Structure formats: C-alpha cells, structure tokens
Amino acid sequence: MNEKFLQPYNPEETEKTIYQKWEDGGLFNPDKCIEKGVCEKDAEPFSIVLPPPNVTGILHLGHATMLAIEDIMVRFARMQGKRTLWIPGTDHAAIATQAKVEKILQKEGVRKHELGREKFLERVQQYALESQSIIIGQIKNMGSSVDWSRLAFTLDEQREKAVRTAFKQMYEDGLIYRKDRVVNWDPKGQTTVSDDEVNHEEQEAILYTFKYSADFPISIATTRPETKVGDVAVAVHPEDVRYKEYIGKTYEVKFAGSSLSIKVISDGSIDPEFGTGAVGITPAHSQTDWDIADRHNLPLKQVINEYAKMELGNELLDGKKTTEAREVIVDWLKEHNLLEKEEKITNNISTAERTGGVIEPLPKLQWFIDVNKTFTLKHSELKDFKAGDVVTLKQLMKSAVDSEEIHILPNRFEKIYHNWVDNLRDWCISRQIWYGHQIPVWYKDQEIHVGLEAPEGDGWQQDPDTLDTWFSSGLWTFSTLGWPFDDAQGKPTLLKDGSVNPDSELGIYHPTTILETGYDIIFFWVARMILMSTYLLGQVPFKTTYLHGMVRDMKGQKMSKSKDNGIDPNDMIHKYGADAVRMSLIIGTGPGNDIKLGEDKIRAYKKFANKIWNATRFVLERTEGTTLDNLELSTADQKLIDTWRESLADITSDMDNYRFYLAGEKLYHYFWHTFADVIIEDLKKRLEENPDDTSAKQTLLLLLTEQLKSLHPFMPFITEEIWQNIHDDDTMIMVQKWPKL
RNA sequence: GCGCGAUUAGCUCAGUUGGUAGAGCAACUCAUUUACACUGAGAAGGUCGGGAGUUCAAAUCUCUCAUCGCGCACCA
C-alpha cells in the first residue's frame, strides 16, 4: 500500500498534480483518445461547447456550477467509450468588457476618446488576455476536462471569419437591413442595446393630465411631459365617441415655447379606459408611438439627444436634462392653467442591463436582423423544412423546439421559449462601442460593400459600429468546430450543396449533444444559437438544452459584491477541495431550480472525500495481494455485489436522464451508509476471524473499484488520486469504462 | 394583464408510473482511540401551505384560495 494513505486526504496538494497528469496525458482530446486506443474511432460522438465566460473578471459560483455539471456529463460520456469533446473558450462580452476597462481608465484619469480607438482597443485586448488567463486557471482548478488544444475566443481571428461569413450571407439573403428606428439608447454606455438587454424596474411616477394649449380640444396624459414637445399627433380609439368628431383634423398649437402641428388620428391600439383615452404621439422617443407613427405616416421629431438632454431649438428647454425639462414644462403648464390633474401611478423604468443607465428611446440608424422576412432555405436537415422551402427565421426558431429536435430541460422552459419567439421583434445588432466585431460593411459615397475583407481601392470607410456580442456567441457551436473553413483539412466545412462535410470536425461533432447553461440566458444565447445554426447549417445547434439555476445565498438572495454575501469558489476550493465544491453544487439541484448554498454543505462533502480516502486505506490494508482476475465469491457476497449493481443500474439510469443530483446523492449514500457502515464493518469481523477469506477480500476490492469509477465524474480528483496510487501502470481512471451492469 | 415556479423535519432539499413520508446539515442521547473524531449507534422531529374533488388508496392527479419568487407584456 502506498504510504500516502497513512495521512488524511489533502485535496489542495493532490488536485494540482492530478490535473497536470491529465493534461500531460492529453486524453481530454478525443483524437488522442483514439490514438491511444482508449476510444474507438467509430465510437458515438459526444460533444458540448463550454458557455464562454465573459473576460470581465473572475469566475463565480454560477460558473462553478456550470463547470461541475458539464464535467460530469463529459466524464460520464468518456467513460462510456464515446468520442467525447468538450470545447473551452471565452467571450469578449463587448459592452461589459468595454465598460470595465473604461472604469479602470477613469481611475487613471484617462478618457477613452483621448486614447483613440486603436490605443483603447489595445488596452481592452490586454485586459481581456489577463482576464482570460485567470479564467483558464479557474476552469482547471474545478477539474474540468476540456480540450485545451481547441481553446477559442469569440473575438479571435477564426471567429471573426465566421462572423463576417454569417453577416454576409444574411445580408445577401436580405435578412440584415439598416434603418432608422427607435431603439433602446443607453446614454450611460453611449450605445444601443437590444430589447433583451433592458431591465424593467417598477417605480412611482406622476401621470400628468393636460392640454397642449387652451384651444386644443383634447386632454392627454403622460408621465414624461418633456417628450411632448416632440409630439406630432394625438391618437384615440376609433370607436371612442368622445373624440370621433376630431379625427382627421390637424391643429397648430403653441406648447412650452415650441410650435407643434398635431393631427388627431385613430388607432385600435389605444385603450380608451386609460387616462383620458387620448395619447400624445411622440414618434422619436417611444417605441410604441413609433409603431403608430409608422402606420399613419407621421413625421419624426427628435427633441432629446444622445446625452439625454433636450435639443430642439427651444430657448426654454435646450441643453436641459430630461428631468429638468420635465419640471420646466410642468411649471409652464401650471402657469398657463393647462394642467388638469397630477396623480401617482407605478410604471416601469427601463435600464440597461450592463451599465444600469436609464434607457432613452431614440431614433437611430442601426443594423437589424429581420426575423419575419422570408428567404429560401439553402440546405436543411431539419424535420419541418427541406432545401428550397421559403421560411422566416422566426419559423426556424419555433420549429426547432416544436418538432422536438431540441429538448429543453426542464420542460417548462419550452413554453417560455415559445412565448419569447412569438413576441420577438427584429434584432438590433449594431452597437456604438469600439470593442467587438466591427461591422463588415464599407462605404464610399453612395456605394456599399459587404464582405469578408475590405474592398480594393481607396476611399472606403468601414462602418464604425460593432456587433452585438450575442451575434458571435450565436455561432459558437459551429464556429468552434471550424465553420466556415476547416484549417486542418484545408477545405470548407460545407459541401457545394450546403450540407456539412461529414469528414470535417463539424460533420463529426455537430449538432452538439447537449448545451448546458443558466436559464437566465435562454433568450440571449440559446435562442440565438438556434437561429444561427438552423439558418446557416440547416441543423439544430444541439439536441438537448440543460438549464441550471442561479446560485443564491442561504436567504435566497443573489450573491453580489455589493451585498457581500458572495462565496468565492476559489476560496472554497482552497479550503475544501474542488471535489467537495462540485458535490455541493450538484446534490440537491435539479435543472432549472435555484441553488441555495452555504459553506456547511461544502464542508460536508469534504468529510465525504475523507471517508472515501479512509475506506480505501482500510480496503487496501486488508486486501494486499488480492486480485479480481478469478472471482471466488460466496453466495452471500455475490448477493452484496448484486445489490450494489442494482443501485448502480439505477444510478446509471439517472445519469442517462441528466438526474445528476440524484445519482450523486445515491452514490454518496451507498458509499457511506451501506459500503462503509455495513459491508466494511461486517467483512472486517470476518477477516479478523479468517484472514484468508478470499471472497470477503474480493468483495471489498470489487465494490471499491466500481464505486471509484462511478464516483469519478463527480469527484474526479480523489478518485484519480486513489487510482494512481493503487495501479503501477500509467492507466487513468478517467478513461476506464463505466462499470458494466 | 398573461404565464411559470415554489410551498414536505429547525435549515437546505429529494420523493421518477398514485401504494405505509426520505436524505444532508443542525440540535439531542450514548459509545468509541477506530480504516476514519473529517467516527459509529440510537432516539427525536412532518395533519407534505389551506380547502374541495377523483380514487380502494393522493405529497403525487383535478379545481380553488393564500403566501413567496421569477419571466414576459403593458407602461399615455
């Protein structure tokens, strides 16, 4: 027996060495597994991409959960002999990262515009690289068996190729267009954000009821009087008898120092019950008003600028912040006796998810992806569509889940997904920030060029905007597998007819087996991957989506720096070992449910690791020289084995059905309370009476070995360490076969 | 407004097709220097949120109410 077992288990000492051994062995790479004969060449593939963490800092417990669950899936698949690939990577997270670097610069007293675009980007790149190397270290500390040889970044050269190819194809299919539209403008981040990047918070507001002027016949109500200088119409419900006589008339009014031309229109979307039943239409500063104006061909009148200040050629208001302008207008209304009512209501305030800035709807020239426009599908392996079908992106997104080509776990999220797709509007993909994939469009006078490279000749100017970070993440399942061009093979990943070359990496591993991520990014990411993959490859990106919950503190609150209730996974790994951290994040956690975690739980699994260690020591002491080559088991001992195998069958079925929380708990329970407490105690007595009881020895050794294997996906470090200490050869438990039933 | 989830032991949660309520942690009693005190044995603790229904049988299925949490929409 190895002397190591005479001492208590020391995770910190062990884990680094073990991970190094794994890396040196190279068996996280499926190619190497085939080369070394631990995996058949024609074995069933199992592939998964790591949801790329943002390069904005260090990993938190949510990441740790993701890494633990995925590593369990991956190690289980690998031990079943599958051709197993887990691709790691990081996300440039455009706005978030840029904001972070700007903050750092601010502390140094530097402004980004003083640096200039190029210098600034260098700085961000440097930050991203540092951040990435920290993240890589943390992924390793968790024991994740990712294939480092395939490490990707959403903003590296190959992903840029993918992004530009995708953009170009969408543009040529007429799915990407550039248009003036009211978008969510974040004055703090100085950029647009997509609908999904906007948070709504309830707040108290005042609803003002007033008339523009004494001679205007209709009163309107608003919470934002300052925008009313941009009004071009008043809309009422077509059936509203109070206002019927005014519909179609236009009034010239003097309002707060501005001359307005207000047309009375009727629109079915107006609720006659709310306020006065009449709405002042401000096309430039409200999404819904824009839609109404669009239907009625009303002009656009912008009165607020990018800095959320008034700008309209009005002495009273110009240069004022919107909040100040509101007071000025309210005072003006009072003064002119036009204000009829002030009442408190609760409404929602919109803020930008990444910066917290209050959203100001503004008309902007932006790039959009049209989700409702039809195009001809070039190639399809999808159930509901074939090549040549005329479809929309929305239809593709819907059918991928409806047709059950994609299963979402837990099931209830399919409904949520559905609901989201139904309400989906065109996706605004341009961002006015510097960090990210610059839009692959070049302009020269009236000419426009969309392509992979800048056009030849002078005078071309590239669009200064960058793409929404989710555009590149949407390609992740296949941009990490060589699409559009397989460098290793030196040819495109798609054949002439648009189908995937079956010999390419893409052909082998795509669609990926499973996508595991947090339920909070189902729309941002999961839906966008489905869009991109069905459109560009005619394939779903993955067959199953497993959504894990959010990690919370014991009170159920989100962990955050400001609340100081966060548990740092790195501290926990340091204190209790990665195996214990993994177990604590898995057990008691079904898909889709939030995880309440306290340090006690992690400590409990450290005890378990020690229990395994000590039980192993006992078994090794008593079974010196015993082998499992020829089993000579007594009937009673055979029955013990049979009972264990029954549990194992149950556990395996849990694993197959993604019930890791049950499998882990059952393994824990069997090891501790059946194997250690009962079986070892019984056999201990027997061996004291008869030290040559082969059946007893073989039973112990067999049960230990099979349990180590089945525990390996959960607690890879300690099981590998034990394996290394009891085997003289250079075999690893990570590529042993999952115990046969 | 629409939808989703949760409600089971003091705490965190399991409970797979309905068949006598289960685990971890904490607390309690006792034992023990043992492969392991990062231990063992034992006891205690629940009218499964309330109510109604279906059934021979309901934590589980249906309806309803309540509380908490979440998503989406509206937001004049």
Side-chain angles (χ1 to χ4, degrees):
Chain A
M1 190 181 63
N2 196 303
E3 281 180 10
K4 258 194 183 167
F5 286 105
L6 298 175
Q7 296 181 1
Y9 179 59
N10 180 343
E12 198 169 23
E13 202 174 274
T14 308
E15 291 179 351
K16 283 227 152 52
T17 338
I18 289 292
Y19 200 89
Q20 194 56 51
K21 268 188 188 155
W22 286 331
E23 279 203 272
D24 294 345
L27 297 177
F28 293 164
N29 181 340
D31 304 334
K32 199 87 184 221
C33 285
I34 291 169
E35 194 188 305
K36 290 244 175 116
V38 295
C39 172
E40 301 293 325
K41 201 172 179 182
D42 54 0
E44 181 190 342
F46 178 97
S47 53
I48 174 167
V49 289
L50 177 75
N54 292 351
V55 287
T56 46
I58 56 169
L59 299 189
H60 52 67
L61 276 175
H63 293 114
T65 305
M66 162 183 100
L67 292 165
I69 296 173
E70 289 173 24
D71 198 44
I72 289 172
M73 294 175 175
V74 166
R75 286 183 187 270
F76 179 57
R78 195 181 287 120
M79 290 177 84
Q80 287 175 306
K82 292 181 185 169
R83 187 169 178 177
T84 306
L85 174 62
W86 185 12
I87 302 178
T90 49
D91 190 341
H92 68 286
I95 297 179
T97 310
Q98 167 151 341
K100 197 111 190 184
V101 175
E102 276 180 47
K103 225 178 223 169
I104 295 170
L105 288 176
Q106 208 173 24
K107 273 188 196 153
E108 296 170 9
V110 183
R111 284 183 169 274
K112 124 185 128 173
H113 287 275
E114 290 164 13
L115 271 182
R117 186 165 186 149
E118 211 168 304
K119 280 257 161 62
F120 178 75
L121 285 179
E122 273 170 28
R123 194 60 203 267
V124 182
Q125 180 65 9
Q126 179 202 334
Y127 175 83
L129 279 174
E130 283 165 21
S131 183
Q132 188 184 47
S133 77
I134 296 172
I135 288 167
I136 289 172
Q138 291 179 319
I139 293 173
K140 291 182 180 178
N141 289 345
M142 278 298 288
S144 317
S145 56
V146 298
D147 181 0
W148 291 110
S149 72
R150 288 172 164 90
L151 179 67
F153 180 49
T154 55
L155 192 61
D156 60 19
E157 209 176 305
Q158 209 187 327
R159 263 43 67 175
E160 168 122 84
K161 227 181 272 173
V163 162
R164 291 186 170 191
T165 306
F167 189 98
K168 182 167 186 267
Q169 189 175 326
M170 288 184 136
Y171 181 79
E172 284 168 0
D173 273 337
L175 298 176
I176 285 185
Y177 64 91
R178 193 181 193 212
K179 197 185 163 185
D180 260 314
R181 231 187 62 178
V182 170
V183 293
N184 306 302
W185 179 260
D186 171 13
K188 201 165 174 187
Q190 285 294 302
T191 180
T192 47
V193 292
S194 69
D195 293 344
D196 297 295
E197 289 169 306
V198 175
N199 288 333
H200 304 280
E201 291 159 38
E202 275 207 344
Q203 62 155 21
E204 289 257 298
I206 299 170
L207 184 67
Y208 302 92
T209 304
F210 62 92
K211 282 181 180 161
Y212 296 111
S213 67
D215 50 359
F216 191 77
I218 302 172
S219 304
I220 57 163
T222 184
T223 52
R224 297 200 58 192
E226 74 277 13
T227 64
K228 297 290 102 182
V229 285
D231 279 14
V232 297
V234 163
V236 299
H237 193 271
E239 304 300 323
D240 199 326
V241 290
R242 292 171 292 182
Y243 307 122
K244 249 183 170 162
E245 56 177 302
Y246 307 113
I247 296 171
K249 291 183 181 164
T250 300
Y251 298 82
E252 303 298 327
V253 298
K254 289 266 182 222
F255 172 67
S258 283
S259 302
L260 307 181
S261 177
I262 303 286
K263 187 179 181 187
V264 181
I265 59 165
S266 72
D267 195 281
S269 69
I270 306 301
D271 175 7
E273 304 292 319
F274 192 93
T276 62
V279 186
I281 300 298
T282 326
H285 301 290
S286 153
Q287 196 85 242
T288 42
D289 289 9
W290 168 272
D291 292 340
I292 292 172
D294 204 39
R295 286 199 284 274
H296 297 269
N297 274 321
L298 298 171
L300 189 72
K301 197 173 167 199
Q302 182 170 349
V303 295
I304 299 168
N305 68 16
E306 282 77 3
Y307 302 96
K309 288 189 174 159
M310 306 303 292
E311 186 181 332
L312 65 154
N314 177 321
E315 280 181 24
L316 204 59
L317 301 169
D318 271 4
K320 291 206 159 57
K321 281 192 203 160
T322 51
T323 43
E324 294 164 359
R326 182 175 309 169
E327 286 170 30
V328 172
I329 290 189
V330 170
D331 288 344
W332 182 90
L333 286 169
K334 282 180 181 160
E335 203 177 299
H336 292 77
N337 234 347
L338 292 166
L339 188 61
E340 295 165 8
K341 213 179 355 176
E342 282 181 71
E343 54 194 315
K344 274 191 185 162
I345 60 161
T346 49
N347 74 348
N348 286 328
I349 186 168
S350 304
T351 55
E353 172 146 83
R354 307 271 198 191
T355 65
V358 177
I359 294 298
E360 190 63 61
L362 285 184
K364 283 258 154 201
L365 188 57
Q366 300 290 341
W367 288 97
F368 295 90
I369 291 181
D370 193 329
V371 293
N372 291 308
K373 182 160 181 190
T374 54
F375 64 96
T376 306
L377 202 56
K378 286 179 189 61
H379 165 76
S380 172
E381 289 160 43
L382 305 166
K383 264 193 203 158
D384 292 351
F385 305 104
K386 53 185 192 307
D389 281 358
V390 175
V391 294
T392 66
L393 291 174
K394 201 180 246 189
Q395 283 170 345
L396 290 180
M397 292 170 89
K398 221 171 141 150
S399 110
V401 174
D402 286 355
S403 67
E404 301 199 330
E405 281 164 284
I406 295 177
H407 292 275
I408 304 183
L409 286 176
N411 204 261
R412 65 186 139 96
F413 281 97
E414 292 188 1
K415 228 179 192 172
I416 295 175
Y417 172 84
H418 212 108
N419 193 275
W420 179 83
V421 173
D422 282 344
N423 290 311
L424 185 62
R425 291 190 294 185
D426 287 356
W427 172 17
C428 177
I429 51 169
S430 43
R431 297 288 180 274
Q432 291 64 53
I433 55 172
W434 287 345
Y435 187 55
H437 289 278
Q438 198 169 345
I439 290 179
V441 175
W442 287 262
Y443 310 98
K444 182 179 172 184
D445 303 321
Q446 293 306 306
E447 280 182 90
I448 182 164
H449 171 88
V450 178
L452 306 189
E453 309 281 345
E456 305 263 321
D458 295 335
W460 289 93
Q461 279 283 327
Q462 187 170 4
D463 195 309
D465 287 359
T466 48
L467 285 167
D468 181 5
T469 190
W470 300 103
F471 189 100
S472 54
S473 338
L475 311 173
W476 194 240
T477 59
F478 47 96
S479 70
T480 52
L481 285 171
W483 185 88
F485 194 86
D486 194 323
D487 285 329
Q489 296 206 333
K491 54 184 172 191
T493 46
L494 298 190
L495 302 176
K496 284 232 167 70
D497 64 355
S499 66
V500 175
N501 176 0
D503 297 330
S504 65
E505 290 245 304
L506 189 65
I508 295 165
Y509 296 110
H510 205 273
T512 59
T513 313
I514 189 161
L515 186 275
E516 196 282 337
T517 192
Y519 66 71
D520 55 333
I521 55 173
I522 179 168
F523 307 136
F524 287 126
W525 194 41
V526 177
R528 259 111 205 208
M529 283 193 282
I530 295 173
L531 183 158
M532 291 295 192
S533 179
T534 51
Y535 169 68
L536 291 162
L537 299 183
Q539 286 185 348
V540 292
F542 34 74
K543 295 163 196 155
T544 302
T545 300
Y546 181 108
L547 299 169
H548 65 250
M550 306 293 111
V551 185
R552 294 169 187 281
D553 71 3
M554 291 310 280
K555 288 175 193 154
Q557 290 180 308
K558 257 193 174 168
M559 291 189 181
S560 69
K561 270 184 198 154
S562 54
K563 284 187 198 128
D564 196 31
N565 60 350
I567 297 180
D568 180 353
N570 307 297
D571 288 352
M572 295 300 113
I573 291 173
H574 174 69
K575 262 169 108 168
Y576 305 109
D579 288 331
V581 172
R582 292 164 63 112
M583 285 294 267
S584 70
L585 291 169
I586 293 303
I587 292 178
T589 310
N593 292 341
D594 288 349
I595 306 157
K596 284 185 199 158
L597 186 73
E599 207 172 321
D600 278 353
K601 193 172 174 188
I602 307 173
R603 196 179 299 123
Y605 291 108
K606 187 187 175 185
K607 289 188 186 179
F608 180 51
N610 200 55
K611 189 75 180 177
I612 296 174
W613 192 250
N614 285 315
T616 302
R617 177 198 305 166
F618 173 80
V619 172
L620 294 183
E621 268 173 5
R622 302 304 162 99
T623 60
E624 202 95 35
T626 309
T627 69
L628 296 173
D629 297 339
N630 290 302
L631 290 182
E632 298 167 52
L633 299 178
S634 69
T635 326
D637 288 342
Q638 183 60 50
K639 210 172 164 200
L640 291 176
I641 306 284
D642 290 347
T643 314
W644 152 247
R645 295 265 169 89
E646 268 170 44
S647 295
L648 183 61
D650 192 31
I651 288 161
T652 305
S653 145
D654 284 335
M655 298 291 283
D656 285 334
N657 292 292
Y658 306 110
R659 295 189 294 254
F660 309 113
Y661 58 108
L662 290 183
E665 193 175 353
K666 285 171 186 169
L667 284 165
Y668 172 95
H669 204 253
Y670 183 89
F671 193 100
W672 201 314
H673 298 298
T674 301
F675 183 61
D677 289 350
V678 181
I679 297 177
I680 287 187
E681 290 303 324
D682 285 354
L683 298 194
K684 189 198 287 181
K685 278 182 209 133
R686 265 171 58 193
L687 285 168
E688 274 161 17
E689 283 159 21
N690 175 15
D692 297 322
D693 189 337
T694 312
S695 175
K697 290 182 182 179
Q698 288 186 324
T699 304
L700 286 175
L701 201 56
L702 183 64
L703 286 175
L704 177 70
T705 308
E706 293 200 356
Q707 285 186 94
L708 286 175
K709 287 179 188 170
S710 48
L711 277 165
H712 178 72
F714 295 86
M715 306 179 82
F717 287 112
I718 188 170
T719 49
E720 187 71 82
E721 170 70 5
I722 292 172
W723 189 268
Q724 296 292 314
N725 281 302
I726 59 182
H727 290 81
D728 295 333
D729 50 17
D730 60 354
T731 59
M732 288 191 185
I733 198 170
M734 65 163 275
V735 287
Q736 297 304 305
K737 292 291 170 286
W738 183 261
K740 276 212 189 80
L741 304 172

